[in-house]
Amino acid sequence: MSDNHGHDDDHGHEPDHDHDQDHELRVSKIRNGTVIDHVRGGQALNVLAILGIDGSQDEEVSVGINVPSDRLARKDIVKVEGRELSQEEVDVLSLIAPDATINIVREYDVTSKHRVERPEEVEGVLTCPNATCITTENEPVTSRFDVLEDGVRCSYCETIVRDEIADLIDSR
Amino acid sequence: MRHDHLITSKHLTREDIEAVLDRAAEIDADPDAVAGKHEGTILGLLFFEPSTRTKMSFETAMKRLGGDVVDMGSVESSSVKKGETLADTVRVIEGYADAIVVRHPSQGSAKMASEFVDVPLINAGDGAGHHPTQTLLDLYTIRENAGLDDLSIGIMGDLKYGRTVHSLAYALSNFDAHQHFVSPESLQLPREVVYDLHQEGASVREHESLEEVLASLDVLYVTRIQRERFPDENEYQRIAGEYQIDLETLEAASDDLTVMHPLPRVDEIAPEIDDTDHAAYFEQAHNGVPVRMALLDRLLEGGVSR
Ligand SMILES: [Zn+2]
């Protein structure tokens, strides 16, 4: 497997060494952890929010924002040292970064690489934007959203959110 | 989760609906046949916002079946005022009652409550969400007056916040009905509902003026436009006035047009219409009892889907 620069070299695309190599050196290599690549440009900070990373813990994180990419034109990259993602985190990630690839890095080598998949529903991570939804009240209920082709829908009040899904992420 | 709650009309099939309406018709024809059938049964009424009619209608239905009701009283005097959650309230009342009716101002409240109890739970209105028992009595009235096949129905007024409208529209998508939604632009059906109706393949059209469709309608379902939706009194007067009907309006309608309203009305239907053959709204309100009797009978026997 390749090293963890995060080239656009999967799924039949030609690697675009010319600029990626160059730009991505700005984002340092990690030894053990996860590289989340092909995040849609501008979504990296939302990825951090999903992972609950706000800099207050001692996690070592590198972020590249609006890095040129042949697949997405502009992409973001997030590299987290010493951390592998839970399925729940990957599920929510898929909603704001549907093209993302998750690379698991061990001893500087990418040991596995896969695309995110959209789940059928996500539980407990998004807050319903409808102020009169029962899930926003002081009830012992976990938020639950069905995942639609082009958005998410609250399983309780049925509100559909298409564009601003990242705004619903619970700040943990 | 049990499948004998009634939370939304969205998942009701044509068979579910027809079974309840047929049973209601039997009960309507011979109420004595079911009198006392559910003796000893207790229905818990949890109304977190006032609705005297819906509550009395359930109460009457249960009593006619031989059962009784327990009632938590007004929200002001209950533990809810002290901050008890809905989830706790239904879990307590479940211990007293064989079935529970919930009216609550929050959307999704009935669905959530149903996840905490093992007795049948009926949604009697969850905010701007659903009101499926109103829908069943609406459908019963429509069937009696115009039939449910090849129906052309106009639904007019506040379509945005009107839960009775949303529930009715979902249920009608099971039938061969042409639904015409008539409202000011600011009170159009929520896009979510339109999205769902299109997914269901329902025949749906939206209009700003009743004139465009009135002549073709079998049923006109009128709802109230609420003053509080408008910041400006003049704006309210102007808009509400366009969605009121009187005898003159109905000159353009078919002689067979059935006019319905979930009541209470304010001034959207002129009283002069009450004495005409068009008016079906009082009959509609009365139909609440046999329909709710039919529904309770089926739920208590464990025989209805969601
Ligand atoms: Zn919601």
Side-chain angles (χ1 to χ4, degrees):
Chain A
M1 285 276 195
S2 61
D3 69 16
N4 68 34
H5 286 314
H7 296 311
D8 274 357
D9 58 356
D10 52 346
H11 302 278
H13 285 264
E14 284 298 306
D16 46 354
H17 292 283
D18 311 345
H19 44 260
D20 265 21
Q21 187 77 24
D22 209 30
H23 287 284
E24 288 183 18
L25 285 173
R26 294 180 202 162
V27 182
S28 63
K29 281 188 176 190
I30 60 172
R31 179 170 184 167
N32 292 299
T34 306
V35 176
I36 305 154
D37 197 0
H38 305 116
V39 173
R40 284 187 183 170
Q43 290 292 340
L45 297 178
N46 291 324
V47 169
L48 296 180
I50 289 168
L51 302 181
I53 294 169
D54 62 2
S56 65
Q57 310 296 308
D58 50 11
E59 279 148 321
E60 198 181 313
V61 180
S62 317
V63 176
I65 293 180
N66 287 329
V67 180
S69 147
D70 68 341
R71 208 166 88 201
L72 296 171
R74 294 274 170 177
K75 68 173 185 181
D76 290 1
I77 304 177
V78 176
K79 302 186 180 189
V80 188
E81 183 71 49
R83 163 103 174 254
E84 293 181 14
L85 306 189
S86 70
Q87 189 58 45
E88 185 203 46
E89 287 168 330
V90 174
D91 281 353
V92 184
L93 206 61
S94 72
L95 302 179
I96 61 156
D99 310 299
T101 38
I102 310 276
N103 304 273
I104 306 296
V105 178
R106 302 218 170 103
E107 287 302 324
Y108 297 107
D109 274 333
V110 174
T111 61
S112 82
K113 179 171 202 160
H114 61 272
R115 296 280 284 267
V116 296
E117 274 175 50
R118 289 165 77 79
E120 282 183 16
E121 61 172 40
V122 288
E123 225 179 297
V125 205
L126 305 176
T127 302
C128 185
N130 174 5
T132 61
C133 175
I134 192 73
T135 63
T136 66
E137 289 172 27
N138 182 31
E139 295 285 343
V141 61
T142 310
S143 76
R144 194 165 70 229
F145 286 81
D146 299 321
V147 177
L148 310 175
E149 243 166 66
D150 58 346
V152 294
R153 176 174 220 172
C154 176
S155 312
Y156 289 90
C157 73
E158 300 171 44
T159 297
I160 297 177
V161 181
R162 291 202 168 79
D163 301 325
E164 291 97 22
I165 295 171
D167 296 346
L168 308 183
I169 297 163
D170 248 338
S171 40
R172 282 180 281 182
Chain B
M1 191 172 133
R2 290 170 65 118
H3 291 282
D4 47 6
H5 303 302
L6 179 64
I7 306 303
T8 162
S9 62
K10 208 169 177 172
H11 307 300
L12 290 175
T13 64
R14 185 177 177 133
E15 289 70 35
D16 290 330
I17 293 167
E18 285 180 337
V20 175
L21 302 193
D22 289 347
R23 186 81 183 110
E26 282 170 26
I27 290 172
D28 217 357
D30 184 12
D32 291 344
V34 286
K37 186 178 173 193
H38 292 280
E39 203 183 325
T41 300
I42 302 286
L43 182 64
L45 301 177
L46 303 181
F47 278 64
F48 292 83
E49 59 179 23
S51 172
T52 316
R53 292 147 201 266
T54 302
K55 195 161 128 184
M56 284 180 72
S57 169
F58 271 109
E59 206 167 331
T60 307
M62 190 70 255
K63 288 182 172 171
R64 284 202 189 280
L65 289 169
D68 213 335
V69 296
V70 289
D71 180 343
M72 72 172 189
S74 71
V75 171
E76 284 66 36
S77 63
S78 73
S79 52
V80 176
K81 188 81 181 166
K82 301 179 191 113
E84 184 180 59
T85 61
L86 172 61
D88 279 4
T89 307
V90 292
R91 279 181 287 191
V92 171
I93 305 307
E94 179 187 22
Y96 309 152
D98 304 291
I100 295 177
V101 177
V102 178
R103 156 74 63 102
H104 192 281
S106 300
Q107 272 170 276
S109 51
K111 177 170 183 181
M112 185 209 76
S114 74
E115 291 171 357
F116 286 90
V117 297
D118 275 326
V119 297
L121 187 140
I122 299 168
N123 183 5
D126 60 327
H130 299 275
H131 194 359
T133 64
Q134 175 72 42
T135 294
L136 289 169
L137 73 89
D138 290 343
L139 293 172
Y140 184 82
T141 312
I142 293 170
R143 194 171 78 164
E144 297 273 288
N145 284 275
L148 282 164
D149 293 303
D150 195 25
L151 175 76
S152 178
I153 179 170
I155 305 180
M156 181 171 86
D158 179 354
L159 310 181
K160 184 174 185 180
Y161 300 98
R163 58 188 163 209
T164 60
V165 169
H166 310 158
S167 282
L168 180 59
Y170 284 127
L172 283 172
S173 69
N174 285 300
F175 298 88
D176 180 21
H178 301 278
Q179 305 189 52
H180 296 273
F181 294 97
V182 184
S183 72
E185 205 192 344
S186 61
L187 295 174
Q188 277 181 343
L189 272 186
R191 295 304 95 183
E192 273 92 349
V193 177
V194 176
Y195 169 91
D196 289 338
L197 293 174
H198 282 149
Q199 296 279 98
E200 293 294 319
S203 162
V204 170
R205 294 191 57 188
E206 297 182 275
H207 312 265
E208 278 194 53
S209 151
L210 179 61
E211 266 170 49
E212 293 169 26
V213 287
L214 181 60
S216 71
L217 299 179
D218 304 307
V219 172
L220 175 60
Y221 191 101
V222 183
T223 67
R224 185 156 46 103
I225 290 179
Q226 290 177 290
R227 195 172 254 112
E228 54 269 33
R229 304 288 179 215
F230 296 86
D232 174 11
E233 175 72 19
N234 290 333
E235 180 72 358
Y236 161 74
Q237 292 294 352
R238 191 182 66 76
I239 285 185
E242 284 182 42
Y243 297 91
Q244 289 167 354
I245 59 166
D246 54 22
L247 283 180
E248 204 188 320
T249 321
L250 295 190
E251 275 170 18
S254 146
D255 290 344
D256 297 330
L257 177 75
T258 300
V259 176
M260 295 173 61
H261 191 297
L263 302 181
R265 69 171 155 175
V266 181
D267 47 13
E268 53 277 14
I269 299 177
E272 63 197 27
I273 294 177
D274 298 0
D275 297 327
T276 68
D277 289 340
H278 296 301
Y281 26 93
F282 293 115
E283 174 196 338
Q284 184 186 354
H286 297 161
N287 288 337
V289 173
V291 168
R292 290 184 171 112
M293 285 171 79
L295 180 70
L296 286 169
D297 185 36
R298 288 174 60 86
L299 288 180
L300 292 166
E301 287 178 344
V304 158
S305 62
R306 293 159 286 186

